[in-house]
Amino acid sequence: MNLFITLAFLFSLGSFLGWIIELFFRKFFSFSNPEHKWINPGFLRGPYLPLYGFSLCILYFLSQINFSFIESKTLQHITLFFVMAISVTIFEYIAGFIFIKGMKVKLWDYSHLKGNIQGIICPQFTFFWFILGGFYCFRQKM
């Protein structure tokens, strides 16, 4: 039961915080919003984006991996953050692909960014997942 409560909390928190991140990103940094208007980044009603909720749950499970076979603590952390970034990027690709092919809607578009794959994922946002994974791990240790 504790695992369910933990995952429900992380999903809710991640969905809400992801919505806030996307809201401000679209307002101030998005090239597709040159007027800098407030745009609801979600496809659902309410302040939540399930992609971020699931991603935070993925980070939770991945943070349990024991990298003690790597001698350097710094290298252990970097490896963990890399695994987190790649895993969440793969999840982002699968979710984006399902929305595009199955539901005929493109919720985000990275096609203008260098190195993108079908406009669904790109190295720049994989880097942000790396940073968020690191933030999650250091926050969890506090």
Side-chain angles (χ1 to χ4, degrees):
M1 188 63 160
N2 277 345
L3 179 62
F4 175 76
I5 291 170
T6 300
L7 292 176
F9 173 74
L10 289 174
F11 179 81
S12 300
L13 181 67
S15 296
F16 179 68
L17 291 178
W19 183 83
I20 290 174
I21 290 169
E22 287 282 337
L23 183 71
F24 281 94
F25 177 81
R26 290 177 189 224
K27 166 76 171 160
F28 297 109
F29 304 107
S30 178
F31 294 114
S32 61
N33 183 16
E35 301 87 28
H36 298 287
K37 294 180 181 179
W38 290 103
I39 299 172
N40 180 11
F43 64 97
L44 302 171
R45 293 189 194 270
Y48 40 85
L49 289 173
L51 175 70
Y52 286 90
F54 284 117
S55 297
L56 194 54
C57 291
I58 290 170
L59 294 182
Y60 171 78
F61 283 117
L62 292 175
S63 70
Q64 309 300 313
I65 296 174
N66 184 354
F67 286 98
S68 62
F69 61 90
I70 300 172
E71 289 184 30
S72 167
K73 280 284 194 195
T74 303
L75 198 53
Q76 287 177 15
H77 286 111
I78 290 172
T79 303
L80 175 60
F81 304 158
F82 183 75
V83 168
M84 288 176 159
I86 296 302
S87 298
V88 175
T89 299
I90 290 168
F91 178 70
E92 182 181 24
Y93 179 80
I94 292 167
F97 188 81
I98 288 170
F99 274 104
I100 292 169
K101 297 298 182 184
M103 299 177 175
K104 307 292 188 228
V105 63
K106 196 167 198 175
L107 296 175
W108 62 89
D109 186 8
Y110 300 147
S111 59
H112 65 283
L113 296 172
K114 189 174 184 178
N116 77 83
I117 298 176
Q118 298 175 320
I120 301 173
I121 58 173
C122 66
Q124 295 88 330
F125 282 87
T126 299
F127 173 74
F128 290 129
W129 287 122
F130 181 90
I131 298 299
L132 286 171
F135 180 74
Y136 174 78
C137 285
F138 287 123
R139 258 329 264 162
Q140 186 182 30
K141 302 282 189 229
M142 296 175 108

